[in-house]
Structure formats: C-alpha cells, structure tokens
Amino acid sequence: MTIGPLRAAFFDVDETLITGKSMLSFLTFHWAREGRAASRVASARAALSHQLRSGMPREQVNRAYYRLLRGSRETDLAESGRLWFAREHPRGLFHPPVREALRRHSRAGDLTVLVSGSFSACLDPIGQAVGSDLVVCTIPEVAGGTLTGELTGSPMIGRAKEEEARRVMAAFGLRPEHCYAYGDDASDLALLTSVGNPVAVGGDPALTAHAVRANWTRLPGPALNGLLGKAA
C-alpha cells in the first residue's frame, strides 16, 4: 500500500524562495522580447509602485499587473518564462536558506507547495527546478489562447493563500499542526498562521513583530539582486 505524505511545506516565492521580486522583472524581459519601448516598462513600474505606496490593497495591484498582459499569447508568455528563468538562475535567483529548507522537506517525503500571487509563466520553471509537488498561483483568464487581462478566481494573496493551503491539507488528509509554511511579508500571515510550524523570512516589521511574539522560527532575508515587482 502506498502511503502519502504526512506533512506539507508551503513556500511563498518572491523574496522567500527566490532572492527578489519576479513579476516586473519578467514583464520587462517579456516586453523586451516583443520589442516594446523601455519607456512603457518604466511607466508600468511607476504606476504599480505608486499604487502600492498609496495603500491600494495588494489584490488590486495584482489585478492591475495582469491587465498589462491583456492580449499576450499564453504560449509566448510560457516561452518568455523559460528564457527569463534561464537568464536569472545563474545570477543567484534562489535564496539559499529557503532553497535548502525545501530540499530537506523533499528528502523527508513532505509535500512541497509553492504559493504565490505570480502566475505559471514565471512559476513553472521555478517549480520544475526545485522539484515542488504543487504550484498554487494566480490564474489569468485566457480566451482563444490569449490573456483577457482579467483573472480566473481571486489573486493568490493574503487569505487566498490560507484558503488554498487548507484545501491542500484537507485533500491529502494532513494535520495542519504538522505542516510548515515560509513567508516574508505581512500579507503572508494568514498562510503562516494556518500551519503549526511557520517560518518568517527576512525583516518585514509587521511580520517580524508577530514572529517574535509567537516565538516562530526565523530565517534571514535575501540580499536584493535587482528583481522588481513583488507578487505577493
């Protein structure tokens, strides 16, 4: 009889598993492949950054990002994702302490799950490289092979991460108190508190304060490597 995993480990991606913020880096790369003007990338970056600074909910900023991809072919985005990963990986894409934690969980037979507000074009190459069992992410709406600019379901941010983690644990019959989660931002608190073994990565003030009060395990955050555009 095959015995399934006894535990799961959930990993936020941007500035947790990888050393930077993926989405605008990917957008810059993809638009460069398409021959888009650098000024358009700078304008998009400025608009999204302003939305975050102004206090707009991350879910709304996430939706605004995918509207920038309206009209993109799904196959073109997937190819850009493979090429983007091939460029970034040798530059130090992975954050060593978290990458090693994922290896340990894999060796122990734990279910490893990437949970991110990014999308499959960015995440599939990352998931394949680390051998994750599942990738749970934001899903852009596609019609006729082309992105509409809207989403299928909610952005994978905040409570949505917690809900999906609980669904995964229930589907595999896993006890939350035995499971792990890794995240770097206050928006990951819902995910982190859904398991018995949360790990705070980096120095986000709100997350750090909570981790210290609750005596959570902590790991250092990555040094910035120039990737831009936090997904979640």
Side-chain angles (χ1 to χ4, degrees), residues 129-182:
V130 300
S132 65
D133 296 299
L134 296 172
V135 174
V136 178
C137 62
T138 300
I139 303 175
E141 183 181 71
V142 177
T146 299
L147 272 63
T148 68
E150 302 304 320
L151 301 180
T152 298
S154 301
M156 194 52 55
I157 295 173
R159 288 291 176 188
K161 288 186 175 183
E162 176 197 7
E163 291 167 4
E164 288 302 314
R166 291 192 184 279
R167 287 192 185 101
V168 169
M169 288 186 283
F172 284 87
L174 305 177
R175 297 176 63 176
E177 61 267 29
H178 293 166
C179 294
Y180 291 73
Y182 297 75

Side-chain angles (χ1 to χ4, degrees), residues 47 50 58 64 72 87 91 96 117 131 140-141 154 157 159 170 189 193 201 203 207 211 213 222-223:
H50 173 73
R58 283 183 178 273
S72 298
R87 184 189 71 175
R91 296 180 176 182
E141 183 181 71
S154 301
I157 295 173
R159 288 291 176 188
L189 274 169
T193 55
V201 180
L207 179 58
R213 287 195 303 271

Side-chain angles (χ1 to χ4, degrees), residues 47-158:
L48 294 172
S49 296
H50 173 73
Q51 290 168 8
L52 282 173
R53 288 196 304 270
S54 69
M56 181 180 289
R58 283 183 178 273
E59 291 83 353
Q60 292 185 33
V61 180
N62 191 265
R63 289 183 182 277
Y65 174 87
Y66 290 106
R67 292 190 182 107
L68 295 170
L69 294 174
R70 182 186 294 117
S72 298
R73 298 288 299 174
E74 192 174 26
T75 53
D76 292 341
L77 290 166
E79 179 64 12
S80 286
R82 288 188 289 270
L83 295 172
W84 170 81
F85 177 81
R87 184 189 71 175
E88 296 299 335
H89 189 193
R91 296 180 176 182
L93 182 64
F94 289 110
H95 182 35
V98 180
R99 177 68 181 91
E100 180 54 34
L102 194 150
R103 286 193 182 100
R104 289 196 302 270
H105 285 291
S106 293
R107 288 195 295 264
D110 299 341
L111 186 78
T112 55
V113 187
L114 306 189
V115 190
S116 174
S118 189
F119 67 129
S120 60
C122 293
L123 296 173
D124 283 352
I126 294 172
Q128 291 164 12
V130 300
S132 65
D133 296 299
L134 296 172
V135 174
V136 178
C137 62
T138 300
I139 303 175
E141 183 181 71
V142 177
T146 299
L147 272 63
T148 68
E150 302 304 320
L151 301 180
T152 298
S154 301
M156 194 52 55
I157 295 173

